[in-house]
Amino acid sequence: MTRKQRRLTMICGSLAVLAVAAALVLNAMRDSIVFFSTPTMAAEKQIPPGKRFRLGGLVQPGSLVRGDNLAVNFSIADGSATLPVAYKGMLPDLFREGQGVVAEGALDASGVFKADTVLAKHDETYMPRDVADALKKQGHWKDDYGAKPGATAASAPVQGTAK
Amino acid sequence: MIAEAGHYALVLALALALIQSTVPMLGARWGDPALMNVARSTALAQLLFVAASFTALVMLHVASDFSVVNVFENSHSMKPLLYKITGVWGNHEGSMLLWVAILALFGGLVAAFGNNLPLSLRAHVLAVQGWIAAAFYLFILLTSNPFLRIASPPIEGRDLNPVLQDIGLAVHPPMLYLGYVGFSISFSFAIAALIEGRIDAAWARWVRPWTLVAWIFLTLGIAMGSYWAYYELGWGGWWFWDPVENASLMPWLAGTALLHSAVVMEKRNALKVWTILLSILAFSLSLLGTFLVRSGVLTSVHAFATDPSRGVFILLILCLFIGGSLTLYAWRAPALKQGGLFAPVSREGALVLNNLFLTSACATVFIGTLYPLALEVLTGDKISVGAPFFNLTFGPLFVPLLVAMPFAPLLAWKRGDLLGAAQRLTAAGIAALVAIAVLFAWTHGGATLAPLAIGLAIFVIGGALSDLAERTALFRVPFATAMARARGLPRATWGTAFAHAGIGVALIGIVCETTWNSEYIGTMKPRDIASVAGYQLKLDDITQRQGPNFREMIAQFTVSHDGETLEVMTPSKRNFTTRDSSTTEAALLTRGASQLYVSLGDTNAEGAIAVRIYHKPLVLLIWWGPVLMAFGGLLSLSDRRLRVGAPKPAKAARALQPAE
Amino acid sequence: MTLWFVFALMTVAAIFAVLWPLSRGSSAQAGGSEAVVYKDQLAEIDRDVAAGLIGSSEAEAARVEIGRRLLAAADGERTLPARANLGLRRASAIVALVGLPIAAVTFYLALGSPRLGDFPLASRTRMADVSQPLENMVAQVEAHLEKNPTDGRGWTVLAPVLARLGRFDDAVRAYRNVIQHAGDSAERRSDLGEALVTSAGGVVTAEAKAEFERAVAQNADDPRASYFLGLAAEQDGRKADAAAIWRAMLSKAPADAPWRPLIETALARVGGAPVAPALSDDAMAAARDMNEADRGTMVRGMVDRLAARLKQDGSDVEGWLRLVRAYIVMGERDKATNARIEARQAVAGDAERLRKLNEGLKNLGLDG
């Protein structure tokens, strides 16, 4: 083979692999991507039952009900709307009423969000970014969530209590 | 005094970095050896000052000096000493200081052991290191200064996140950083080569040990991080395709590709331009990794820093270094001379294939990680790309890579004999087929992919062994001769075999864990019994205990198998009063490479406790694989030919001859 | 001063790092070269041939290739003569000598706080600071008192801290020592009585009552002693006596006494006076009439004490319920939920207590 042919082989091979990779990516994008929304957005968009999405907001205080064998019901609220959520399994350590949470799953026919994964905020000052943004937009954000105390302040640890 | 001295040392390091980044460049431009040597002494002095600065911060944490904001926010006087120390890098500011300390360490190592480098190359490399260092010193001093003070110190600190109070987490970030920052050396070499406009086979040999060091640490760091997530997060997952994990995987993929392409360059003087590009990419992805973790732009279970102003600064650094280096590359790379020729079927060809698949896999991870961000910036839609995406893209790309892997070491340079290589892999192929057949017979009706994947893993391991057998002519010559030949083999060959076999071992673990994992999730009361995978777990008792800074609820399980009592497992749940939060401490029972995993949930109204029990067959292989890979890397590194300072090779060779 | 001396030393070291190579002139040794690598590669081929790892024809081809690189490298190196550039060297030296210290000090002064000393924990605990809720400070004082048990002032400092930490039995002992070594007074007797009451979980025991009686004997107007004597009467079922004691207190009290509302509510409880109907939790209601700061301190102190005690001994179901209710009233639902979880964990081993706890929680509307 000449130099040119060899180079051609290499380039064709590379393109083939890249094409395969691109095809895989596009295929996976179609099937395995989930959108994020808050209860308000979910109501506005009228997400059909069975479509998977991530639901984020604050756990409505007082809404947590534990059923038999690890079944849990609670509501996720974002200030203007709430959505009931049903989940079966163990909740993360940091799951609290009044705290930010993201659940992944789909709505069922009766409008209940059936979650198969629940993620809670990771530590005291961290909140799922999607939730924080959404809440900020709707004016339900208290700035002290992520606040770092100034060099002079020796303030008490910030409590994450939201309305 | 300690705080201020540490602070000033950091400022001096910045000043030295600025000198280191300019004077040696001018020296190289005018050919003045004295000016070029400034690089060396400033790099060493910089290391000294950063080390002093880091030591100061450690001392402040140990002494619980809450007049330092960083200590106040991230420490607590009641914290055990070990976590006071590890808490230094458990937070944003401290971890960035660790980052630059490691950067200075690598710079210092090049300065101290780079005697075999041409003077101008060393000057250029250290100057580029100086640019990176200066940028990060500025970042730390201006936006994330760990030495800021409080005039009236608070009484007590605010503790470390209890989830982070764990020895696994304490060790894995420094490992990852050693990996990330290690790639800065190959980056600096690449930029130096572009500036000098000259690059050849010797360059690859000089770069390879540095890349190898970075790669070894990154491999271990990723494996440790994964094991930490496995036992600490309490639900037995070991890889989440979380952006933070992806951020460490991407440089690893690029770095692995770089290791392989550097071999081609060293041996055959080919793929030069590509190797330069990979060097730039590997470090760019490392910077991106730092950025993703540190700026909090991504939703992640790992994120513990959220401050946009820092994000903007890091974004600037990213643009400067990635954009700048790629521009330099586009400008200078065409001027570099082309290298040796090779046929598509040859060792070079196989390594090119390896690079193609690794970079494609890296690209898919990149897209999966950053697409949500890009989409949000462009359309405002928030999406999440989870495990299914990566399983569908990354998996298929790795299969051909693994199939091809055993062939490459058996192919000759320049023009290889595919048929011959295939013949020599017959034994490995047969072993793989037998494994597949046995597994199908054993699991009949079960998953079809799993036996195939295990067959592939066996093929990979068998291939690595065949390569060794082939080179030592085992089974063809008397055993003693084969042993003698084995001792004579370059350590790099052994390294290759171990690293490749490590991939196969990890693959077996991954497949077994995901396919034949069994679990029990439910509520249990004392004296209840749960059975999982042939094990019976009896909940004996639930007790309370007061720890140093937490309260603990401990459940005690007696584990038995076929009526025979094995051991007592004690998972627990800790409540940390200062943070008002809790962590789950899972209990693990190791049987061979398999593990039984128990973690606790909340107590319900009837006094029953939520329990998760998993049986994970061969799960430990997932981490033994990377350890094997890192060991292979270490063997390769100890190869005489790659030793960093190896002076006077001819004499050294003779001296070493009897030992071989 | 030491600080600036250290700074100066560090600066000198940094300057030296730049000046040293410059002073070495052009005699500096040349670095390594590519040729070395290629020679090494040639040697390696020889070794591989000797070990039989590669065939002789392949070895020959490789030697030719490496030989070509060797020649090219030798060509490349000859084009790089070393020459000294004195102007640049001088400029670099000036930058190091003048620019470096000025830049470093300016930068540092903008960010650093050179006037602040160190505040390590060890030296800070030596400072007297009563608000410091640290066990180690207490331990220090206790160690001191072990050696000097007659130091009345030490006991006076320690006793309230112990009470705040929830170590009521120790607090009782400490208050006894206060009286013994620092002198008797109505206030101190009341302190001791109050500690006894708290350690008994709110019951005015005979022992406590005796202390309050001693306090009243010394100062008939001591409000705390009078209040608790009333409470003792109430707990004994002598409501009329209690009402009489409290009514007498109110009649003598100044109009702005901070404890007035507390007494009024107590009085209302025993059905003595026409004050506004009290809520279930007397202290809470009393707190409502205080000013913001007083109320906060009072309620917070009570709740913290209760929480601290329950942390020591979690078997008190009533205590847990009171704590949860307090948190709910204070609007700290988070803490209430936490307390509920802790309570359940604490009494999980005892079915009877757990049942009581769950019933109580249900009444508070916090089950689940």
Side-chain angles (χ1 to χ4, degrees):
Chain A
M1 277 196 277
T2 63
R3 193 181 185 117
K4 210 173 202 174
Q5 280 173 320
R6 281 177 179 168
R7 184 160 289 175
L8 211 63
T9 331
M10 299 275 274
I11 291 172
C12 288
S14 317
L15 286 180
V17 173
L18 284 180
V20 169
L24 285 171
V25 167
L26 289 177
N27 176 48
M29 285 277 179
R30 219 185 40 224
D31 299 337
S32 55
I33 277 188
V34 279
F35 280 82
F36 173 88
S37 64
T38 61
T40 315
M41 286 156 71
E44 279 167 5
K45 283 190 197 157
Q46 300 198 319
I47 297 175
K51 168 134 178 78
R52 286 180 64 81
F53 65 100
R54 280 188 170 204
L55 179 68
L58 300 174
V59 181
Q60 179 97 339
S63 69
L64 181 65
V65 180
R66 288 175 199 266
D68 286 336
N69 210 7
L70 299 177
V72 198
N73 289 292
F74 57 93
S75 297
I76 291 183
D78 59 2
S80 39
T82 58
L83 203 61
V85 179
Y87 175 68
K88 191 166 156 49
M90 271 161 63
L91 292 169
D93 283 344
L94 296 155
F95 183 93
R96 298 275 159 74
E97 290 187 350
Q99 300 287 17
V101 70
V102 174
E104 188 171 328
L107 290 169
D108 69 1
S110 59
V112 174
F113 188 79
K114 294 270 186 209
D116 46 31
T117 319
V118 172
L119 305 166
K121 62 168 199 156
H122 191 236
D123 74 17
E124 200 87 326
T125 48
Y126 174 75
M127 178 175 263
R129 197 183 53 102
D130 296 337
V131 178
D133 283 356
L135 290 174
K136 251 181 196 162
K137 261 184 215 143
Q138 297 170 5
H140 287 273
W141 174 262
K142 291 207 309 198
D143 264 337
D144 51 0
Y145 272 121
K148 295 255 168 194
T152 49
S155 57
V158 176
Q159 275 297 319
T161 43
K163 285 156 238 165
Chain B
M1 164 87 176
I2 296 176
E4 298 309 312
H7 199 168
Y8 187 66
L10 198 59
V11 175
L12 275 182
L14 167 66
L16 282 172
L18 288 172
I19 292 182
Q20 184 187 328
S21 57
T22 46
V23 173
M25 295 282 286
L26 294 171
R29 170 76 184 76
W30 301 107
D32 185 333
L35 288 173
M36 286 194 263
N37 271 328
V38 167
R40 201 175 175 193
S41 57
T42 44
L44 289 171
Q46 210 198 100
L47 171 61
L48 183 79
F49 286 120
V50 178
S53 183
F54 188 74
T55 313
L57 191 61
V58 172
M59 284 165 72
L60 293 170
H61 271 262
V62 168
S64 296
D65 187 336
F66 297 125
S67 70
V68 177
V69 178
N70 183 260
V71 181
F72 159 64
E73 278 180 4
N74 302 293
S75 196
H76 191 284
S77 64
M78 304 289 279
K79 209 157 67 167
L81 179 68
L82 177 69
Y83 296 120
K84 277 186 186 165
I85 296 174
T86 61
V88 173
W89 56 82
N91 61 82
H92 171 76
E93 292 84 0
S95 70
M96 288 321 291
L97 190 60
L98 178 68
W99 205 97
V100 288
I102 293 174
L103 186 71
L105 175 69
F106 275 104
L109 285 176
V110 171
F113 297 109
N115 293 328
N116 57 343
L117 300 178
L119 205 53
S120 70
L121 181 64
R122 191 174 70 196
H124 276 126
V125 168
L126 288 175
V128 177
Q129 286 276 306
W131 298 345
I132 304 171
F136 273 88
Y137 291 140
L138 272 177
F139 170 67
I140 291 177
L141 286 168
L142 295 180
T143 72
S144 327
N145 197 326
F147 294 108
L148 290 183
R149 307 291 295 273
I150 309 173
S152 54
I155 307 300
E156 190 47 279
R158 292 173 58 181
D159 210 346
L160 178 75
N161 187 341
V163 180
L164 309 181
Q165 267 190 39
D166 178 272
I167 192 65
L169 192 69
V171 180
H172 100 259
M175 284 277 182
L176 280 182
Y177 280 9
L178 278 166
Y180 283 170
V181 180
F183 285 125
S184 73
I185 299 287
S186 38
F187 172 82
S188 300
F189 268 93
I191 300 298
L194 287 174
I195 294 173
E196 294 199 330
R198 227 161 46 88
I199 182 168
D200 33 47
W203 182 93
R205 174 167 289 201
W206 290 321
V207 164
R208 223 160 95 79
W210 300 106
T211 319
L212 208 48
V213 169
W215 181 86
I216 291 170
F217 281 117
L218 197 53
T219 309
L220 287 177
I222 293 175
M224 273 180 161
S226 147
Y227 190 71
W228 169 77
Y230 168 72
Y231 78 80
E232 179 69 19
L233 294 186
W235 41 291
W238 44 271
W239 192 262
F240 305 94
W241 293 109
D242 176 284
V244 176
E245 286 166 332
N246 293 346
S248 62
L249 184 63
M250 287 189 280
W252 187 85
L253 290 168
T256 313
L258 173 61
L259 271 183
H260 289 88
S261 79
V263 175
V264 178
M265 185 165 159
E266 181 188 336
K267 295 284 186 192
R268 299 278 302 125
N269 206 20
L271 295 185
K272 290 194 282 196
V273 178
W274 172 244
T275 306
I276 294 270
L277 181 63
L278 275 181
S279 304
I280 293 175
L281 286 182
F283 184 61
S284 301
L285 290 168
S286 297
L287 281 180
L288 197 70
T290 312
F291 174 59
L292 292 186
V293 182
R294 290 290 149 214
S295 68
V297 290
L298 292 167
T299 302
S300 155
V301 291
H302 277 67
F304 49 92
T306 41
D307 186 347
S309 73
R310 288 173 181 159
V312 171
F313 203 115
I314 302 192
L315 202 60
L316 268 174
I317 294 184
L318 276 184
C319 289
L320 198 72
F321 281 99
I322 302 179
S325 58
L326 288 177
T327 312
L328 185 68
Y329 176 79
W331 176 40
R332 300 291 295 234
L336 297 175
K337 264 185 279 172
Q338 288 299 317
L341 288 173
F342 54 88
V345 177
S346 63
R347 183 86 70 87
E348 295 94 320
L351 289 171
V352 168
L353 197 70
N354 149 299
N355 269 242
L356 261 176
F357 280 110
L358 280 177
T359 40
S360 306
C362 185
T364 59
V365 177
F366 184 83
I367 292 172
T369 312
L370 294 186
Y371 177 66
L373 265 186
L375 191 72
E376 194 189 330
V377 171
L378 293 175
T379 67
D381 278 342
K382 285 179 200 287
I383 61 164
S384 84
V385 174
F389 172 87
F390 296 101
N391 293 342
L392 282 174
T393 54
F394 194 77
L397 283 174
F398 245 65
V399 170
L401 178 68
L402 294 182
V403 171
M405 198 163 84
F407 288 91
L410 293 169
L411 291 172
W413 293 106
K414 271 175 134 172
R415 175 171 289 124
D417 175 8
L418 196 58
L419 207 63
Q423 276 168 356
R424 283 179 274 176
L425 283 173
T426 323
I430 290 174
L433 288 176
V434 168
I436 295 175
V438 167
L439 281 172
F440 263 122
W442 186 46
T443 63
H444 53 90
T448 45
L449 273 180
L452 291 178
I454 292 201
L456 178 59
I458 301 275
F459 181 60
V460 167
I461 300 172
L465 295 177
S466 309
D467 180 34
L468 286 179
E470 197 59 41
R471 277 167 205 263
T472 53
L474 193 71
F475 308 125
R476 277 188 283 135
V477 296
F479 186 70
T481 323
M483 279 300 113
R485 286 176 67 116
R487 277 197 299 276
L489 277 186
R491 295 225 189 122
T493 310
W494 286 99
T496 309
F498 272 108
H500 284 185
I503 297 258
V505 169
L507 181 60
I508 293 181
I510 292 170
V511 173
C512 287
E513 196 277 332
T514 43
T515 319
W516 293 296
N517 163 27
S518 37
E519 66 179 33
Y520 167 89
I521 299 184
T523 52
M524 290 177 80
K525 282 182 173 177
R527 285 173 296 287
D528 279 358
I529 295 179
S531 333
V532 176
Y535 292 88
Q536 282 82 40
L537 289 95
K538 178 162 170 281
L539 177 58
D540 299 325
D541 198 9
I542 304 174
T543 48
Q544 301 285 324
R545 190 176 76 87
Q546 181 73 41
N549 53 354
F550 54 83
R551 243 161 83 100
E552 193 168 34
M553 174 179 69
I554 305 170
Q556 185 181 321
F557 289 88
T558 307
V559 185
S560 55
H561 190 253
D562 296 337
E564 176 197 353
T565 304
L566 294 175
E567 209 172 309
V568 171
M569 294 175 77
T570 51
S572 67
K573 212 170 165 66
R574 292 181 179 172
N575 283 313
F576 287 80
T577 35
T578 342
R579 283 265 177 172
D580 200 13
S581 64
S582 58
T583 63
T584 304
E585 303 288 313
L588 299 173
L589 172 63
T590 307
R591 300 257 291 162
S594 309
Q595 281 190 325
L596 211 54
Y597 184 113
V598 183
S599 73
L600 302 180
D602 288 330
T603 322
N604 76 357
E606 286 82 44
I609 187 165
V611 176
R612 283 183 221 225
I613 305 170
Y614 301 97
H615 177 254
K616 297 184 171 284
L618 297 186
V619 67
L620 285 180
L621 294 187
I622 296 175
W623 301 289
W624 288 354
V627 169
L628 212 56
M629 287 155 77
F631 177 68
L634 213 61
L635 273 182
S636 226
L637 190 66
S638 72
D639 193 311
R640 175 185 53 250
R641 296 169 302 159
L642 290 176
R643 240 173 252 155
V644 184
K648 310 205 179 52
K651 243 186 257 165
R654 228 171 291 129
L656 283 169
Q657 209 70 38
E660 284 177 331
Chain C
M1 230 29 237
T2 342
L3 184 68
W4 294 106
F5 181 67
V6 171
F7 281 10
L9 266 184
M10 281 159 64
T11 317
V12 169
I15 294 171
F16 177 73
V18 183
L19 291 187
W20 186 63
L22 290 178
S23 69
R24 305 259 299 177
S26 44
S27 68
Q29 84 283 20
S33 78
E34 292 162 31
V36 177
V37 173
Y38 300 132
K39 281 179 197 146
D40 188 23
Q41 280 187 334
L42 283 174
E44 190 182 305
I45 290 172
D46 292 342
R47 278 200 304 278
D48 285 357
V49 173
L53 292 174
I54 51 171
S56 60
S57 60
E58 287 160 315
E60 207 38 58
R63 276 198 201 106
V64 169
E65 204 167 283
I66 295 169
R68 225 180 287 137
R69 286 183 221 156
L70 190 55
L71 285 177
D75 279 350
E77 264 160 38
R78 230 170 293 136
T79 60
L80 269 172
R83 51 177 188 270
N85 189 323
L86 286 178
L88 258 178
R89 282 190 200 181
R90 246 173 247 137
S92 311
I94 290 170
V95 166
L97 270 172
V98 182
L100 188 143
I102 291 180
V105 169
T106 326
F107 210 94
Y108 169 75
L109 285 181
L111 294 171
S113 331
R115 257 168 288 175
L116 276 187
D118 284 353
F119 293 91
L121 188 73
S123 76
R124 212 153 10 89
T125 44
R126 259 179 265 124
M127 293 187 293
D129 188 348
V130 188
S131 70
Q132 187 169 328
L134 281 181
E135 274 84 351
N136 50 2
M137 181 210 155
V138 172
Q140 228 167 32
V141 176
E142 280 178 324
H144 163 79
L145 287 172
E146 207 126 286
K147 279 179 234 140
N148 314 292
T150 55
D151 178 0
R153 237 189 81 234
W155 289 114
T156 318
V157 171
L158 182 65
V161 178
L162 287 174
R164 256 187 67 172
L165 283 174
R167 293 167 55 185
F168 300 114
D169 294 336
D170 293 334
V172 168
R173 200 169 45 81
Y175 276 123
R176 289 226 162 93
N177 283 322
V178 170
I179 294 169
Q180 196 179 336
H181 302 296
D184 204 348
S185 80
E187 201 182 331
R188 284 177 182 150
R189 289 285 172 191
S190 294
D191 282 338
L192 174 57
E194 195 179 354
L196 281 165
V197 170
T198 345
S199 77
V203 178
V204 186
T205 57
E207 202 184 356
K209 198 174 158 206
E211 295 301 334
F212 291 126
E213 276 162 357
R214 271 178 218 139
V216 175
Q218 291 182 48
N219 174 8
D221 291 336
D222 186 275
R224 226 166 357 142
S226 310
Y227 167 73
F228 275 108
L229 283 174
L231 195 64
E234 188 199 350
Q235 286 175 353
D236 290 349
R238 296 177 285 119
K239 291 196 173 179
D241 291 355
I245 294 173
W246 286 334
R247 214 170 280 130
M249 274 178 82
L250 286 177
S251 66
K252 278 189 275 180
D256 59 346
W259 40 265
R260 239 191 132 89
L262 179 73
I263 306 296
E264 279 164 1
T265 351
L267 194 54
R269 196 172 54 222
V270 293
V275 260
L279 287 177
S280 59
D281 200 326
D282 56 315
M284 284 289 171
R288 196 148 301 155
D289 297 329
M290 293 183 180
N291 66 40
E292 196 67 31
D294 284 352
R295 179 170 64 198
T297 331
M298 171 180 169
V299 174
R300 173 63 48 201
M302 276 172 41
V303 173
D304 285 351
R305 275 200 295 275
L306 183 57
R309 186 163 64 77
L310 290 171
K311 204 148 278 171
Q312 302 269 313
D313 168 24
S315 62
D316 176 6
V317 174
E318 284 305 313
W320 282 114
L321 289 174
R322 242 187 302 149
L323 183 66
V324 170
R325 188 170 53 213
Y327 281 138
I328 293 176
V329 172
M330 283 153 67
E332 294 183 351
R333 226 191 149 82
D334 251 17
K335 287 202 169 171
T337 317
N338 267 348
R340 186 194 71 196
I341 292 167
E342 278 192 36
R344 271 202 188 126
Q345 287 179 5
V347 301
D350 186 331
E352 174 56 25
R353 288 211 174 104
L354 187 65
R355 194 188 52 75
K356 258 168 74 186
L357 178 73
N358 284 331
E359 262 170 28
L361 288 173
K362 199 162 277 171
N363 291 339
L364 292 173
L366 202 85
D367 59 336

